[in-house]
Amino acid sequence: MRYLTIQGEKREIPKYPHHKDYIYRSYKFFEARSLFSLLVINGISDAIKRKWLQWKYNFSIPLNLLIDPTSACNLHCTGCWAADYDKKSELSYEKLDEVLTDARKLGINSIVFSGGEPMMRKDDILKLCRKHSKLPYNMFTNGTLIDEAFADEMAVLGNLNAFLSIEGFRDATDFRRGKGTYDKVLATMDILKKRDIAFGFSVCYHSKNWKEISSDEFLDFMREKGAWIGWMFNYIPIGSGADVSLCLNAAERAEVKQRIEAYMLKHRFTIIDFAHMGHMAFGCVAAGNEFAHINSNGDLEPCSFFHYSDVNINEKSLPEALASPFFRHFRKAKPFSKNPHRPCPIMDTPEVLRYLSESNGVHSTHLQNPESMKQLADKTKPLAIGWKPVADSLFQEMPQKEKKKIALFKRYLLYKEKL
């Protein structure tokens, strides 16, 4: 039997596809110290099966598939790129059903619903979780639409979990998400905790809230409310007209990284810091290496922040879409830097966006505020220049054995691609 220590209590982890198993696997993923330990998180037989499937289909199969069932949302958060999408776009239930059927056949291990607000499709989500019960599901949700009845359904299903979005304490959360949102999210946490649902919290940190969300006070509070895991996303200025002033400067990024890592080590609590875990995740995981994203319009994107695509699942099946030339082109460019502290092509190495844009048929999927990759690169280049010396210093401080582990990353990617 497997266990995690949550708030000082040893908690039993049910077998896959229980939602607590996803949290356990996330913990083991970022604890991995070798490629072997990374590959066998789900067991040796699963690793062998995935390699065979990749050989069979001749493309890289992601561990996690993110899907936006809808672009609709009951909130309008400041700086949210999802708020710029067409509010009427959504994937049909039939298409979602087909995608999940294919995902199971391909060996994709986890489904994550995002949006928009996935709870706008709550009846369909419950129906899908029941029908495709051999898969685990998570939702990135604003938390305001989960009530007692829905939480009861989650508890019965066992394979559905939620990551509740919050921006810090009351003032910071209501600043971005609207007055009263903070209290609604806390009430939802109480509802889920009462049913022993191992929910997580999700934070977008930016120039106005980074000190608060990386403080021991806030993180302790999230754990006390019942969170089993945390997701930290750095604000990325996606879409023309995005507010670049919300991006952190290099010194602020470095301090967030240090605070989060210190907290994780002290409490053995999993916090996935999207911007700063390249050295623990073998670089960028987008474009099918570990993640892929389907937006509400059906476009298959490398990740939820990289709004470019050359294929749409409304026109092709999921296996056909994952064989995308753009995905292959994207993976071929990895690692985008030899320094794992600079993994992101948007925020850390925007110079590679020119190469990525050369793939035929690629277009912007940001429907309301599209921008070319060159425009995006011009916008984030000053931030990347500022971060580079900090990242280089972090790399120099890494133990030699850690550097050797990272050196295996390119070979690992090439091996997967040959399959």
Side-chain angles (χ1 to χ4, degrees), residues 32-40 282 405 408-409 411-412:
R33 292 295 177 263
S34 69
L35 286 175
F36 177 77
S37 60
L38 181 67
L39 292 171
V40 301
F282 295 85
K405 182 182 72 173
L408 292 172
F409 177 57
R411 298 179 193 176
Y412 171 55

Side-chain angles (χ1 to χ4, degrees), residues 229-247:
I229 191 172
W231 281 81
M232 298 282 191
F233 296 98
N234 56 312
Y235 173 78
I236 298 178
I238 299 298
S240 60
D243 187 356
V244 181
S245 72
L246 289 173
C247 296

Side-chain angles (χ1 to χ4, degrees), residues 333-364:
K334 293 184 183 182
F336 300 118
S337 169
K338 293 181 180 180
N339 184 344
H341 296 285
R342 299 175 62 224
C344 180
I346 298 176
M347 300 301 290
D348 302 326
T349 57
E351 63 274 9
V352 306
L353 291 175
R354 180 180 296 276
Y355 168 80
L356 295 178
S357 69
E358 293 172 355
S359 185
N360 291 331
V362 177
H363 62 277
S364 171

Side-chain angles (χ1 to χ4, degrees), residues 297-316:
N297 198 47
D299 301 304
L300 180 69
E301 302 168 336
C303 84
S304 56
F305 298 99
F306 203 96
H307 295 182
Y308 302 92
S309 178
D310 68 342
V311 65
N312 190 290
I313 62 157
N314 288 314
E315 301 167 358
K316 294 187 176 183

Side-chain angles (χ1 to χ4, degrees), residues 93-136:
Y93 175 84
E94 291 72 24
K95 176 54 67 172
L96 290 167
D97 182 31
E98 175 194 314
V99 167
L100 296 182
T101 298
D102 287 339
R104 177 67 177 165
K105 291 178 181 177
L106 290 172
I108 291 171
N109 283 333
S110 301
I111 303 297
V112 181
F113 293 123
S114 51
E117 170 50 51
M119 283 292 293
M120 301 292 282
R121 300 280 301 277
K122 63 180 181 179
D123 291 339
D124 284 341
I125 285 176
L126 290 175
K127 187 177 178 181
L128 290 165
C129 290
R130 292 190 195 101
K131 180 174 182 179
H132 301 276
S133 60
K134 299 299 183 182
L135 284 167

